[in-house]
Amino acid sequence: MNVVRKEDVYTIDDIYALPEGERAELIDGKIYDMVSPGRTHQKLLHFFDRTIGNYIESNQGGCEIYPAPFAVFLNDDDRNYLEPDFSVICDQSKLDEKGCHGAPDWIVEIVSPGSRQMDYYKKLFKYHTAGAREYWIIDSEKEQATVYRFEKETMDQYSFNEEIPVGIYEGFSIRIS
């Protein structure tokens, strides 16, 4: 994912004006084109959707899950629009037909070759400062999950073979392998 636009400041209106089928994210007024995800990426996305969805459903949880593409308007401005790979939102008042207004409680980003810098740095900073409770970076190339629990100010790394505790749900853990 690279900045491929001129150096102007863009807004959400520019995202909505993109040609049909073109996807991009907007961070601090800069547009970042998104490439189509690969097979491994989609397989992991489906795994998280099924695993987390089943957990929430079987525990009568009040949170909702949204795999990409799903709009997240992180700040109360028109210069930030993201599409996390996977969002868990527990505060229903943040949701409307356009997406989520404010930070999701739990965000999962699956690293693609072109998104490494974005996921590990830019998005980490944006999600943290916007008030997300938990952020997972899933790196299939390294078979590693980097887990940030912002409420506890911790960062841990897990292999895909380990049980990864979910911070927003006590007693729930996920083994990716």
Side-chain angles (χ1 to χ4, degrees):
M1 195 181 294
N2 296 314
V3 178
V4 295
R5 309 283 179 185
K6 58 187 177 178
E7 286 299 315
D8 291 340
V9 174
Y10 291 93
T11 68
I12 291 170
D13 288 338
D14 295 306
I15 293 291
Y16 290 144
L18 290 172
E20 181 80 27
E22 188 175 327
R23 290 178 52 215
E25 293 182 307
L26 179 70
I27 298 177
D28 297 328
K30 292 189 184 294
I31 289 182
Y32 297 86
D33 284 341
M34 299 174 72
V35 297
S36 294
R39 183 180 143 267
T40 300
H41 183 282
Q42 290 304 94
K43 189 174 176 180
L44 283 164
L45 185 64
H46 179 68
F47 167 79
F48 279 101
D49 189 34
R50 187 179 65 245
T51 304
I52 297 166
N54 288 344
Y55 177 83
I56 291 172
E57 187 176 304
S58 67
N59 289 281
Q60 289 80 41
C63 301
E64 294 188 22
I65 58 173
Y66 294 95
F70 182 74
V72 172
F73 306 93
L74 274 186
N75 305 96
D76 193 20
D77 64 28
D78 66 348
R79 298 178 345 122
N80 289 281
Y81 168 101
L82 288 99
E83 290 186 5
D85 288 319
F86 198 83
S87 302
V88 177
I89 299 125
C90 301
D91 180 354
Q92 305 301 309
S93 70
K94 291 181 178 181
L95 297 169
D96 68 13
E97 284 303 311
K98 288 188 174 186
C100 178
H101 299 269
D105 292 87
W106 178 17
I107 300 157
V108 177
E109 289 284 8
I110 301 165
V111 175
S112 298
S115 73
R116 187 168 298 280
Q117 185 84 4
M118 187 72 102
D119 294 338
Y120 279 101
Y121 299 103
K122 284 189 187 299
K123 289 184 178 182
L124 169 64
F125 176 77
K126 293 305 287 185
Y127 294 144
H128 183 236
T129 57
R133 295 167 59 195
E134 190 161 351
Y135 176 45
W136 289 24
I137 302 171
I138 306 302
D139 194 326
S140 62
E141 189 176 293
K142 296 179 181 179
E143 293 192 5
Q144 175 179 291
T146 304
V147 176
Y148 295 88
R149 292 180 187 90
F150 297 130
E151 293 175 315
K152 294 182 179 180
E153 298 182 8
T154 63
M155 184 277 287
D156 297 293
Q157 291 184 321
Y158 301 89
S159 78
F160 281 11
N161 294 321
E162 293 179 277
E163 290 288 331
I164 306 169
V166 176
I168 70 166
Y169 290 114
E170 193 172 321
F172 178 36
S173 63
I174 296 173
R175 182 186 307 257
I176 299 171
S177 66

